[in-house]
Amino acid sequence: MFENLSERLERSFKILKGEGKITELNVAETLKDVRRALLEADVNYNVAKKFTEEVKEKALGQNVLTAVRPGELMVKIVHDELAQLMGSKATEINLKGTPAIILMSGLQGSGKTTFSGKLAHLLKTKQSKKPLLVACDVYRPAAIEQLRVLAEQIAVPVYFDLESKDPVSIARRGVAEAMAQGCDVVIIDTAGRLAIDEEMMREIQAVKEAIRPSETLFVVDSMTGQDAVNTAKEFNDRLDFDGVVLTKLDGDTRGGAALSIRTVVDKPIKFVGMGEKMDALDVFHPERMADRILG
Ligand code: GDP
């Protein structure tokens, strides 16, 4: 059995107390445990380092040195700081416009297509919206087929064009189709590559400029470790996205990517994917995520 962070900190502070002294140096030592826990949860190294430095200031400010249960207080400070960092921004999605346009971005395999279906399902069943899905992945016919299957499952219309290799044109025509069908939300699923490449970035930028979405979402696999920071930063630099969707949180990842991304791009995490089914979608709960990261 692994000892979780609370137990670990309680133990090390107990030893220190037994020796009758808790000093600033001891606090710094203990923070190494915090940093280790963050790294084990796949938080980016630099993010974990900066975070623990900030927590140190807070801990000393809150008199951790004289607390009755310093381990507990330390864990609370770390937990609160994590939750606050990950969750202090509005998480609603912007549905302004007729139709409102939502653009998906992210690497291939991150879960964009699945999330597009889930979001359409959520808007339809919980907000009585009439969504239309648009398949803009011109490289992988299988991706278009996948969206068609999902759309059928949730009984939502889908627009695609197997002949076209021009995502901008498909996106534009998708929006026109939504208007023609009286749909009030258009969800645009785009192509992703296995790694960031210039062509893909230019393509999605062009789609964004052409259709001016009310909401651009960056979809990222929560199992992405140290790379999450670079990917999120690159997409944000190019697209200035509005929010993050963290997928595959039903797996055994601790989800440190949430903290890494939030720290680096300062955009809210809006949804979490909890499985492959169309209703396996949850809004983001910073408190729960903090618990999960700390283990
Ligand atoms: P895309 O390439 O970004 O469109 O990614 P997909 O939507 O095709 O997802 C890639 C794989 O991850 C598929 O096998 C999905 O079923 C799976 N997937 C997507 N979201 C989740 C999730 O929240 N949990 C789990 N367990 N699997 C997911």
Side-chain angles (χ1 to χ4, degrees):
M1 276 292 281
F2 289 112
E3 205 177 18
N4 71 23
L5 183 67
S6 301
E7 289 159 354
R8 217 187 290 171
L9 291 186
E10 280 297 334
R11 190 173 43 81
S12 42
F13 275 114
K14 210 178 241 161
I15 295 168
L16 295 171
K17 274 200 147 176
E19 290 169 0
K21 56 177 193 307
I22 296 179
T23 66
E24 206 166 307
L25 192 67
N26 300 146
V27 172
E29 278 296 312
T30 325
L31 278 165
K32 282 191 185 151
D33 281 334
V34 174
R35 193 160 84 195
R36 202 171 303 132
L38 295 177
L39 292 174
E40 279 168 14
D42 261 343
V43 174
N44 171 276
Y45 180 80
N46 292 324
V47 171
K49 193 158 173 264
K50 184 161 165 269
F51 179 86
T52 33
E53 275 157 17
E54 281 160 14
V55 162
K56 182 182 170 196
E57 297 303 313
K58 288 241 156 75
L60 295 174
Q62 289 189 32
N63 293 331
V64 106
L65 303 186
T66 53
V68 182
R69 307 195 59 150
E72 230 168 66
L73 178 59
M74 188 67 127
V75 170
K76 185 180 180 310
I77 293 169
V78 173
H79 176 277
D80 291 353
E81 185 72 9
L82 274 176
Q84 201 208 334
L85 256 175
M86 290 188 295
S88 50
K89 266 192 164 183
T91 55
E92 293 278 301
I93 56 171
N94 183 349
L95 292 176
K96 277 202 200 103
T98 27
I101 302 173
I102 304 169
L103 178 67
M104 299 299 163
S105 68
L107 297 178
Q108 183 179 317
S110 59
K112 287 185 302 300
T113 305
T114 308
F115 175 70
S116 299
K118 286 178 182 177
L119 184 61
H121 182 63
L122 178 95
L123 292 172
K124 181 182 163 175
T125 55
K126 298 275 169 21
Q127 297 191 31
S128 306
K129 293 282 180 192
K130 282 183 71 185
L132 173 97
L133 288 159
V134 179
C136 266
D137 191 338
V138 294
Y139 307 99
R140 293 191 315 134
I144 300 177
E145 185 54 26
Q146 187 190 348
L147 195 66
R148 280 172 69 180
V149 170
L150 291 180
E152 198 174 303
Q153 243 180 58
I154 57 175
V156 161
V158 57
Y159 181 81
F160 59 93
D161 179 353
L162 291 170
E163 305 301 317
S164 172
K165 291 282 172 237
D166 178 359
V168 171
S169 157
I170 300 173
R172 277 210 179 103
R173 283 182 279 134
V175 174
E177 181 67 21
M179 284 157 119
Q181 290 194 29
C183 295
D184 47 16
V185 185
V186 185
I187 298 171
I188 303 196
D189 186 22
T190 59
R193 305 284 157 78
L194 290 173
I196 291 168
D197 72 51
E198 186 55 31
E199 195 191 337
M200 163 192 164
M201 283 298 176
R202 268 207 299 266
E203 182 181 294
I204 191 161
Q205 258 180 313
V207 171
K208 183 172 181 189
E209 276 157 28
I211 55 165
R212 299 183 179 275
S214 51
E215 180 87 16
T216 301
L217 294 172
F218 169 64
V219 181
V220 61
D221 183 335
S222 57
M223 286 187 275
T224 319
Q226 302 294 314
D227 269 357
V229 163
N230 296 336
T231 317
K233 196 170 174 310
E234 184 79 19
F235 273 92
N236 193 49
D237 286 350
R238 299 300 195 101
L239 295 175
D240 189 20
F241 56 70
D242 303 294
V244 179
V245 179
L246 210 55
T247 64
K248 308 183 197 180
L249 260 187
D250 51 314
D252 57 9
T253 166
R254 300 258 296 278
L259 178 67
S260 304
I261 293 171
R262 186 57 199 258
T263 307
V264 170
V265 298
D266 196 28
K267 295 285 169 72
I269 299 162
K270 299 197 172 184
F271 292 101
V272 296
M274 299 297 295
E276 298 186 70
K277 295 227 173 71
M278 284 297 96
D279 57 1
L281 184 65
D282 214 341
V283 291
F284 180 69
H285 296 284
E287 297 281 337
R288 279 190 215 161
M289 198 68 219
D291 286 340
R292 183 169 177 142
I293 290 176
L294 291 179

